[in-house]
Amino acid sequence: MASVNEPKTQTAAYGEASIRVLKGLEPVKQRPGMYTRTDNPLHIVQEVIDNAADEALAGFAKKIAVTLHADGSVSVEDDGRGIPFGLHPEEGAPVIELVFTRLHAGGKFDKGKGGAYAFSGGLHGVGVSVTNALATRLEVTSRRGGEVARIVFASGDVAEPLVVRPAEAGEKRSGTIVRVWPDARYFESSVLPLAELTHLLRSKAVLMPGVTVSLTNEKTRDTQTWLYKGGLRDYLAQTLPAEPVVPLFEGEGWADAQSDSFAEGEGAAWCLAFTEEGPTVRESYVNLIPTPAGGTHEAGLREGVFQAVKGFIELHGLLPKGVKLLPEDVFARASYVLSAKVLDPQFQGQIKERLNSRDALRLVAGFVRPALELWLHAHVEHGKRLAELAIRAAQTRQRASQKVEKKKGSGVAVLPGKLTDCESRDLARNELFLVEGDSAGGSAKMGRDKEFQAILPLRGKVLNTWEVERDRLFANNEVHDIAVAIGVDPHGPDDTVDLSSLRYGKICILSDADVDGAHIQVLLLTLFFRHFPRLIEAGHVFVARPPLYRVDVPARGKKPAAKFYALDEGELAAVLDKAAKEGVPREKCSISRFKGLGEMNAEQLWETTLNPDTRRLMPVTLGSLDAARTTALMTQLMGKGEAAARRELMELHGDAVDVDV
């Protein structure tokens, strides 16, 4: 958007030759932040470690050795199968070269029975090629089939072509060694955070009992080796900062060949501890990849634990009158290590910090809940101690919300009649959805969680408030109802605003995934940016992303028929590709396009747009432009006297727009 304000003299040079197509690894070098973390080179080294771990996860490697060399390079060695180095049948180039120089080349896309990896974290296929692009030098040695191959790259390009020789006597039978020299130009600091690397390698050893993981530092001549046989329990017990109030609860569950819903081998292993004080330890992994931002597998653990503890409390009649138990009450003092295996994990972003796979919630919860229920009923005293901890947390939370309620005073405006409010008064948890149309509002009311989600249906398009005086805003019914519902008066960017009367921690704009819906989104964003800027600054405004397509995939083998949702054309293509890999051709998939939210029933709306564990919710922030430049741009877009400027803008950028007619 910044280019809108550039001088007109530059527009003359904008033609066919101006469009640049990035080839090979150029996109990574141009925008490294899209593919990896750029604070330090740990993540590009982790990509190599993850590949070695995938070999161990597949059962072909028993040792992973990482060495920090004195010259600043890092090498990772495993005793797995070795990267294939023969010619690719279609590309006509050595496979080992393609793996390191092509963004979407790898052995982890094919998840069928003939695939090289059943479970791996390397879903995107851009891992080690990113490492190569952001390194001044990268050397690879692969041993397999009685031969040793070596190839060297510099800044992502082949520097020394592939050389293959027979293995000598005494050389290891098979395996891979990758040595990488990270390019300091791409990172804020070229120093590897040793504590983070140590933690990563130690956790790999924990999650793969029987596999030896080592770290050698040439400068200090230190070597650390990890080999765990006790698994998650030993690790969590050693890491906990305080004594647990009940014994550690350890368990695992894996789908077998008879499972209707999940692939054979999918499931999770976990270890839970509950403490009364001190910080909590929470670590989760998917196919050995750390997920520090959590995701749907953690949501599944939380759901399973909550339902089991809640059921135990209800069975024994332990809940005092007037106390309502919430998942965060049960989970407030929980520490855990969770290791999930998912056949085809969908991550948020290339650095894989958060798992987005919707089925992972059902997968993990389905194994955790019955296992914990059995454990609680077999250890009733421990169950009662755990219940006491959760009930105390619920009482503390309710007392805190009541204190806030008293400060509000009696002069509260009458809430709009069409607002369907929520029961909770917990600001941090409450959500208000501004929904386009009464029909969608009706589905949202039925599909929502009435405990913390409120619905305000909007009739027709909201007024363009960019040039409306603040004291005239309430003349418009829709704007009046929004202001009264959220509990904050309209204000300017420099006004002193008391946000203590705010009634919802999240204000979510929910409109159709079409042009009209986008228009309503723009009008509401205009209202908030112009007249409620402090809500945007404080991170209270969000835009919900409902899907545009639903895909019904028929039963395939033992897998039952399933429905998938796609936000746009790109996700639709991904769903169809996945179905095709599972043996369902495109023509057998039923694709329906939602004309609007009103077409969705309550269950669909909850699953795709309202459920905090599976929805897509985008926070509204200023972005690359500061407040003044954003204001200037908004004036150009929304001002009544700016028709000429808008026409110029459309002439300049009209070819970049996909028109949805």
Side-chain angles (χ1 to χ4, degrees), residues 359-371:
D359 285 347
L361 193 152
R362 277 192 309 115
L363 173 73
V364 178
F367 286 121
V368 171
R369 180 179 178 175

Side-chain angles (χ1 to χ4, degrees), residues 4-25:
V4 171
N5 297 318
E6 290 173 2
K8 291 183 190 175
T9 51
Q10 294 183 12
T11 62
Y14 179 61
E16 285 77 6
S18 308
I19 303 302
R20 186 173 166 205
V21 179
L22 298 178
K23 295 179 181 175
L25 297 178

Side-chain angles (χ1 to χ4, degrees), residues 342-602:
V342 180
L343 186 64
D344 197 5
Q346 308 293 321
F347 290 100
Q348 180 176 302
Q350 166 55 21
I351 58 174
K352 308 176 190 136
E353 288 194 323
R354 178 179 171 83
L355 181 72
N356 272 0
S357 305
R358 282 186 174 141
D359 285 347
L361 193 152
R362 277 192 309 115
L363 173 73
V364 178
F367 286 121
V368 171
R369 180 179 178 175
L372 183 54
E373 282 174 342
L374 203 64
W375 187 83
L376 290 170
H377 295 312
H379 306 85
V380 175
E381 284 309 307
H382 297 328
K384 287 183 176 177
R385 187 78 187 86
L386 204 53
E388 187 186 311
L389 203 65
I391 290 165
R392 205 184 312 146
Q395 289 169 328
T396 305
R397 174 182 50 77
Q398 284 180 314
R399 277 197 300 271
S401 67
Q402 282 161 3
K403 284 176 192 169
V404 173
E405 192 66 44
K406 284 176 186 170
K407 290 177 187 172
K408 291 182 179 177
S410 58
V412 180
V414 178
L415 291 173
K418 58 187 178 179
L419 171 70
T420 305
D421 209 356
C422 54
E423 294 171 359
S424 167
R425 290 292 169 264
D426 182 358
L427 176 68
R429 192 158 180 263
N430 286 359
E431 301 175 346
L432 172 67
F433 284 86
L434 304 176
V435 184
E436 172 190 351
D438 284 336
S439 58
S443 292
K445 285 174 194 174
M446 289 188 287
R448 71 186 175 125
D449 184 334
K450 65 179 180 180
E451 168 64 27
F452 67 99
Q453 290 179 327
I455 307 294
L456 181 63
L458 303 174
R459 296 184 181 94
K461 293 228 167 81
V462 180
L463 180 72
N464 177 2
T465 56
W466 189 250
E467 292 175 352
V468 176
E469 292 296 326
R470 206 147 287 137
D471 57 359
R472 294 289 304 149
L473 276 176
F474 284 164
N476 180 271
N477 285 335
E478 302 296 322
V479 174
H480 171 271
D481 288 352
I482 290 169
V484 173
I486 62 180
V488 175
D489 287 337
H491 53 270
D494 302 318
D495 295 350
T496 303
V497 186
D498 180 13
L499 292 183
S500 65
S501 57
L502 182 65
R503 303 182 68 247
Y504 306 96
K506 285 188 174 76
I507 299 157
C508 311
I509 299 168
L510 176 53
S511 60
D512 293 347
D514 58 12
V515 174
D516 274 347
H519 189 195
I520 288 169
Q521 250 180 52
V522 169
L523 291 168
L524 285 168
L525 289 172
T526 302
L527 171 68
F528 285 113
F529 179 69
R530 189 63 155 181
H531 299 291
F532 299 90
R534 290 300 169 85
L535 294 180
I536 291 177
E537 280 176 29
H540 292 298
V541 183
F542 295 77
V543 173
R545 304 260 333 258
L548 195 55
Y549 298 99
R550 169 180 160 169
V551 184
D552 290 278
V553 180
R556 48 250 188 259
K558 288 185 178 177
K559 283 196 172 184
K563 62 177 184 291
F564 299 94
Y565 298 96
L567 282 185
D568 50 32
E569 298 281 351
E571 285 197 4
L572 175 64
V575 169
L576 294 171
D577 285 349
K578 184 181 176 185
K581 282 179 185 172
E582 292 176 349
V584 181
R586 184 188 179 106
E587 56 269 20
K588 288 193 178 177
C589 297
S590 171
I591 304 167
S592 49
R593 175 174 167 143
F594 291 109
K595 289 178 184 168
L597 296 168
E599 284 192 347
M600 290 190 192
N601 59 36

Side-chain angles (χ1 to χ4, degrees), residues 618-634:
M618 295 194 306
V620 175
T621 57
L622 279 181
S624 59
L625 304 182
D626 58 23
R629 288 165 72 199
T630 304
T631 302
L633 189 59
M634 289 292 284

